[in-house]
Amino acid sequence: MADAADWLPSLIVFGPAALALAAGVIGFRRLGTRREARDAVAVRELETAAKARLVGADEAVRDAIQEIRFAEAQFGPETARELGETVERARGWLREAFLLQQRLDDAEPDTAAQRRAWSSRISSLCDSVERALADAEEVLAARRAAERGAADDTPALRERARRLGARRADAASALERLGTRFSAAALAGAQGALARVDHDLATATSALDDAAHRLAEAPGAPIAGLNGRAAHALRRAEGELDRIEHVELDLARAAEDAGLEAADLDAELIAARGERDRASDPEAGAALASAIGDLSPLLVGREHRADDPFAERDRLRAARDRLEAARAGARREQERLDGARGALSGAIAIAESQIRVAGQALERARAFVGADARTRLAEAERQLGIARRESDPVAALDAARRAAARASDAEALAHYAALHR
């Protein structure tokens, strides 16, 4: 009895805890069971949806295989080949999806995670199949829609080609008339455009004839591609004809521009001659004189070059550019000379002052000053003489600056000799 009494307090303390632990374990097990049941339901739903998607994708591929024969009959082997390539890619995705479905259906036990992943992959592959086939079907639908109105477009294209042919004849007559006033070089661009018009009109006519022949052999045959080729060639021909029809106006504008360029060149030549006469630098003056001599003849006999306004305008523009470059070079040289001439007097004054200071320093320390300081002072005096005699202001300025630098060196050496005697 005593032993039982000893265990009673422990039972009172730990009994409820044990009961709570047991209840918790049972509750967790039940929670896990319910979660597994929910997961199993979700996986089954995913598998069911994947199976339905797989059936739909398989039906879409089968329909597309039949569509290949229809496309070949309607649009030819090239269109059928393109659709066949799309169907072959879709069949590859479908084979992979069937292999995954076989894994889901076999007797081997799989985890819920594996079955979920495989079902998701099947749905993704079916998406790829359906998108690829839908895109191909959309292209075919667009072509079929274009074909429905293609036969009605042909008469309008032929009428458009006829009108462009008439414009082409008028343009050729205009070029023949302009050829009596302007050179072949001036009309070369327009003649090239006329040749391109002929080529484009021939391309359009050939495409329309092929379309008519195809319809005669097989009513309802696809001709939208041929009509598109004809329309593109006709658009090119229209652009070239616009260019030809504006050539006379372009020639008139070029002649007017050439007259303005000639007037501007004449004025600039007058100004350049004045700059040449005032040039202080012989080389700059010679370069400017050479440009004036080469370009002045361009203003003579311009009436004999009126048969090519484009070339005359471009020639005068190039002449103005060359003259402006020569004048700019002469101006830069003149500015350099003027700057040197303005700074020369100040540089000579600085050199004279520095030579005077250096001479005084050497005189004070003459007993200690060596040949280096005396040589630099002599060189400074020589450079100062050059600066005073030099006619080129740039060379004179350089000499004056060298004189100041040599005198400064002589002064420094004199001070150094006096400090270290």
Side-chain angles (χ1 to χ4, degrees):
M1 293 295 295
D3 292 339
D6 291 339
W7 281 98
L8 186 58
S10 298
L11 183 61
I12 294 172
V13 173
F14 294 108
L19 290 174
L21 178 61
V25 171
I26 293 170
F28 277 120
R29 286 180 178 176
R30 289 178 178 175
L31 182 61
T33 301
R34 287 196 296 270
R35 185 168 58 248
E36 289 177 359
R38 286 196 302 270
D39 289 346
V41 171
V43 169
R44 282 196 299 272
E45 292 176 352
L46 187 60
E47 290 177 7
T48 301
K51 286 181 179 180
R53 296 291 305 278
L54 189 56
V55 172
D58 185 52
E59 287 296 324
V61 169
R62 292 176 185 274
D63 291 342
I65 292 173
Q66 294 180 353
E67 188 66 34
I68 293 174
R69 293 193 294 272
F70 299 145
E72 183 173 8
Q74 185 175 11
F75 300 113
E78 180 62 24
T79 301
R81 182 186 62 78
E82 295 174 358
L83 179 58
E85 292 174 353
T86 301
V87 171
E88 191 57 37
R89 286 197 302 273
R91 294 178 70 180
W93 295 324
L94 194 60
R95 282 193 294 270
E96 182 183 350
F98 276 126
L99 287 174
L100 293 173
Q101 185 61 48
Q102 185 177 353
R103 289 184 184 181
L104 290 171
D105 293 339
D106 61 22
E108 294 292 330
D110 305 312
T111 65
Q114 287 177 322
R115 300 183 74 83
R116 184 184 299 107
W118 293 342
S119 298
S120 297
R121 176 60 178 166
I122 290 171
S123 296
S124 176
L125 290 168
C126 291
D127 285 339
S128 298
V129 170
E130 292 169 358
R131 281 196 301 269
L133 295 180
D135 291 343
E137 179 61 28
E138 185 177 350
V139 172
L140 283 175
R143 291 199 61 178
R144 289 185 175 117
E147 292 296 342
R148 281 194 290 271
D152 297 334
D153 293 339
T154 303
L157 289 172
R158 286 199 177 275
E159 175 60 22
R160 185 176 171 189
R162 187 196 64 77
R163 290 197 303 269
L164 289 177
R167 283 182 63 186
R168 186 266 175 210
D170 292 341
S173 299
L175 288 181
E176 185 176 356
R177 174 174 52 81
L178 291 173
T180 61
R181 296 167 48 201
F182 300 101
S183 67
L187 299 175
Q191 292 290 355
L194 187 64
R196 290 190 291 274
V197 169
D198 292 338
H199 177 269
D200 291 334
L201 289 177
T203 299
T205 301
S206 175
L208 293 173
D209 289 343
D210 289 345
H213 181 69
R214 184 176 295 182
L215 288 175
E217 289 185 344
I223 60 170
L226 292 171
N227 282 356
R229 188 191 312 166
H232 181 63
L234 293 176
R235 282 195 298 271
R236 287 199 308 262
E238 285 176 343
E240 297 294 350
L241 284 170
D242 289 341
R243 178 182 176 187
I244 297 170
E245 290 166 353
H246 284 84
V247 69
E248 187 168 9
L249 180 59
D250 293 339
L251 286 165
R253 288 175 178 170
E256 183 181 357
D257 291 342
L260 295 175
E261 293 288 342
D264 291 341
L265 178 60
D266 188 30
E268 292 180 15
L269 283 170
I270 294 173
R273 292 187 185 97
E275 293 171 359
R276 175 201 59 190
D277 297 339
R278 295 189 300 271
S280 302
D281 180 58
E283 293 184 3
L288 195 53
S290 175
I292 293 170
D294 292 341
L295 302 178
S296 295
L298 293 178
L299 297 177
V300 179
R302 288 194 57 245
E303 63 278 4
H304 302 300
R305 299 193 297 270
D307 61 346
D308 192 348
F310 297 132
E312 180 68 5
R313 177 197 59 194
D314 296 342
R315 187 183 299 111
L316 292 170
R317 283 178 177 173
R320 285 189 61 198
D321 291 342
R322 179 185 169 188
L323 182 61
E324 179 57 32
R327 292 179 64 193
R331 284 195 295 268
R332 286 194 298 272
E333 186 61 29
Q334 190 62 43
E335 290 169 359
R336 189 174 72 92
L337 292 174
D338 292 342
R341 191 175 290 109
L344 180 59
S345 59
I348 289 178
I350 292 172
E352 291 173 343
S353 175
Q354 190 62 51
I355 289 172
R356 187 165 52 253
V357 171
Q360 293 172 356
L362 263 69
E363 186 64 27
R364 287 193 298 270
R366 61 184 301 179
F368 313 105
V369 173
D372 290 344
R374 298 173 189 272
T375 300
R376 282 170 172 74
L377 181 59
E379 177 62 16
E381 292 172 344
R382 189 180 76 84
Q383 290 293 335
L384 180 60
I386 293 174
R388 288 169 173 164
R389 295 189 301 271
E390 179 61 56
S391 59
D392 183 357
V394 176
L397 180 62
D398 291 341
R401 288 170 175 169
R402 286 194 298 271
R406 298 296 183 274
S408 180
D409 293 342
E411 180 190 3
L413 289 172
H415 286 311
Y416 181 82
L419 291 174
H420 295 82
R421 63 181 183 273

